[in-house]
Amino acid sequence: MNRQPVRVTAALLAAAALVGVTAPLAAADGNDPGARHGSHGGGSPARERLDLLVGADGVPGALAYEGHRTVRAGTAELGSGRPMVGAEGRVRMGSNTKAFTAAAVMRLVVDGRLRVDDRAGRYVPQLADSPITIRQLLRQRSGLADYAGLVDWEKPLSDEGYLGLVLREDVQFEPGTEWGYSNTNYLVLGMVITRASGTDYRTYIEHTILRPLRLDSTYWPGPGELTPRGPHARNYGVHPLHPEQGLTDVTELPAYEFFGASGGLVTTPKDLNAFWDGLFGGKLLPRWALRRMTHDTTDVGGRDVYPEGSRYGYGVASIPLSCGGTYWGHGGDLPGVSVGGGRATDGRGTVTVYTTTVAAQSARLAHLQGAVDAALCDGR
């Protein structure tokens, strides 16, 4: 008998909810790396949002790392009483990886090895007859269907194999005419980086992004590597291989085989903050290249997970702050984790917030985004 492919849509993953989990309230940890010595963070706005995530929303564990302070809530492992890990705990960053991939593409542009208005088919033979450009891929305006909803989790494929699945589907819209979030855009950009640089995109991003910023705790999982290295919290949600089990421990996932250039990096809150500071602080790209990433944008307010006033550029998005101005970052969701944050304008700081289950909808999403906003607006 032929088995039907095991597929888990983004909607199902986002619906993975843990209800009624009991866990300790949030506390600021002055012993975490980068934390303010002696601070307990009592009554801070970010703490209030983490309390809501853990208490009202049933999230097992949550963390906000602001550089000078780490606020933690809940537990690192259900049933253990183990405190939530701190700023050096490993976490799958999900689609925050897209910002690393976009920065690597722009590095190739700066070095004259490609142009954003090149057709993607110049580097990816499967798209040889397509008008899709690199710029459209960066801006999520290609119209390509999302490979994440087509994956058979029992049969991992190469990037070319996943793109082949997509090319059998109807396009969402004609390239350049609309905006539609699709992981396929960044899967293709990984292939572009590999062809244009002459080395695998993982290696190229290591050499041009991770090493210059000394992100020593950020890495690409290897083939067959299922569990994050070093200290980490457990993750809870719907396992792609066993959706019939409902909510379960999903800490072990085949990241190398499925997430790639669109969502495959593992990091720490400390490293992710350092990436945002390095990117927007001009340590990776000249000013004109960074300006293009953040000024060639699309209004995405009210679409996907983006609040009104948000704009999407090249692998980064701007989100309005309640205290005025914006912050630039991305966000990421994988089975068992949501990560949000970025760097605020006007020197208001940088923050990473994450939860140990998906928080990409309804009250959870509002509270996660509220924790980011609260951390960046606190005292301003």
Side-chain angles (χ1 to χ4, degrees):
M1 178 183 291
N2 292 328
R3 298 185 64 184
Q4 293 297 313
V6 178
R7 292 171 179 164
V8 180
T9 67
L12 176 59
L13 297 177
L18 289 172
V19 180
V21 176
T22 58
L25 291 180
D29 188 347
N31 294 320
D32 266 333
R36 181 185 297 130
H37 180 71
S39 170
H40 298 288
S44 74
R47 171 178 174 164
E48 292 171 4
R49 302 312 192 282
L50 295 193
D51 284 350
L52 287 171
L53 282 162
V54 170
D57 300 335
V59 169
L63 175 144
Y65 175 63
E66 306 170 39
H68 64 283
R69 177 175 58 186
T70 302
V71 183
R72 302 183 293 172
T75 180
E77 182 177 7
L78 289 174
S80 71
R82 186 159 63 97
M84 183 61 179
V85 296
E88 292 191 339
R90 297 281 172 77
V91 58
R92 294 186 177 97
M93 71 166 75
S95 285
N96 288 282
T97 303
K98 291 178 174 64
F100 290 69
T101 300
V105 169
M106 293 307 294
R107 183 70 259 170
L108 288 167
V109 171
V110 170
D111 292 343
R113 301 172 82 171
L114 59 77
R115 300 178 302 169
V116 294
D117 289 319
D118 285 344
R119 288 193 176 190
R122 179 176 178 180
Y123 307 93
V124 180
Q126 286 166 283
L127 295 175
D129 297 326
S130 170
I132 292 171
T133 66
I134 291 170
R135 179 170 176 260
Q136 290 164 348
L137 295 168
L138 288 165
R139 297 179 67 198
Q140 302 278 12
R141 295 178 67 94
S142 74
L144 291 170
D146 195 338
Y147 83 94
L150 304 172
V151 166
D152 181 346
W153 288 83
E154 292 183 315
K155 298 177 181 178
L157 302 174
S158 65
D159 288 349
E160 290 77 10
Y162 292 131
L163 181 56
L165 295 178
V166 170
L167 294 178
R168 296 174 198 163
E169 303 290 315
D170 292 335
V171 295
Q172 297 174 310
F173 49 82
E174 290 302 311
T177 61
E178 298 182 33
W179 183 89
Y181 191 93
S182 174
N183 289 291
T184 305
N185 291 319
Y186 281 75
L187 176 138
V188 173
L189 287 171
M191 299 165 72
V192 169
I193 292 170
T194 296
R195 181 63 66 91
S197 69
T199 187
D200 179 75
Y201 69 84
R202 294 178 177 88
T203 301
Y204 185 78
I205 289 174
E206 288 174 1
H207 289 167
T208 60
I209 309 294
L210 306 188
R211 290 184 185 177
L213 294 180
R214 299 182 180 178
L215 305 183
D216 297 331
S217 296
T218 301
Y219 67 93
W220 298 100
E225 186 175 6
L226 303 181
T227 305
R229 304 168 194 169
H232 60 273
R234 307 298 295 183
N235 300 108
Y236 301 90
V238 176
H239 199 292
L241 277 172
H242 307 289
E244 75 284 354
Q245 295 179 2
L247 299 169
T248 188
D249 189 313
V250 292
T251 308
E252 295 185 358
L253 287 175
Y256 178 92
E257 288 78 3
F258 292 101
F259 304 143
S262 65
L265 280 168
V266 177
T267 191
T268 66
K270 185 177 179 182
D271 266 16
L272 191 51
N273 275 24
F275 169 73
W276 296 128
D277 287 339
L279 175 62
F280 296 117
K283 295 180 180 179
L284 292 175
L285 299 168
R287 184 176 300 178
W288 67 263
L290 182 60
R291 180 178 177 82
R292 188 153 193 180
M293 289 182 71
T294 57
H295 282 68
D296 187 7
T297 61
T298 302
D299 181 356
V300 294
R303 305 179 66 176
D304 200 68
V305 298
Y306 295 104
E308 293 297 332
S310 302
R311 302 193 68 85
Y312 197 96
Y314 293 5
V316 292
S318 65
I319 313 293
L321 289 168
S322 63
C323 53
T326 62
Y327 72 90
W328 282 94
H330 200 279
D333 305 287
L334 290 174
V337 63
S338 285
V339 184
R343 189 183 196 208
T345 55
D346 302 326
R348 296 181 182 182
T350 307
V351 67
T352 292
V353 176
Y354 84 91
T355 58
T356 59
T357 192
V358 173
Q361 65 174 16
S362 61
R364 285 184 177 186
L365 176 61
H367 294 154
L368 187 148
Q369 291 179 338
V372 173
D373 183 271
L376 295 174
C377 287
D378 188 10
R380 295 174 178 86

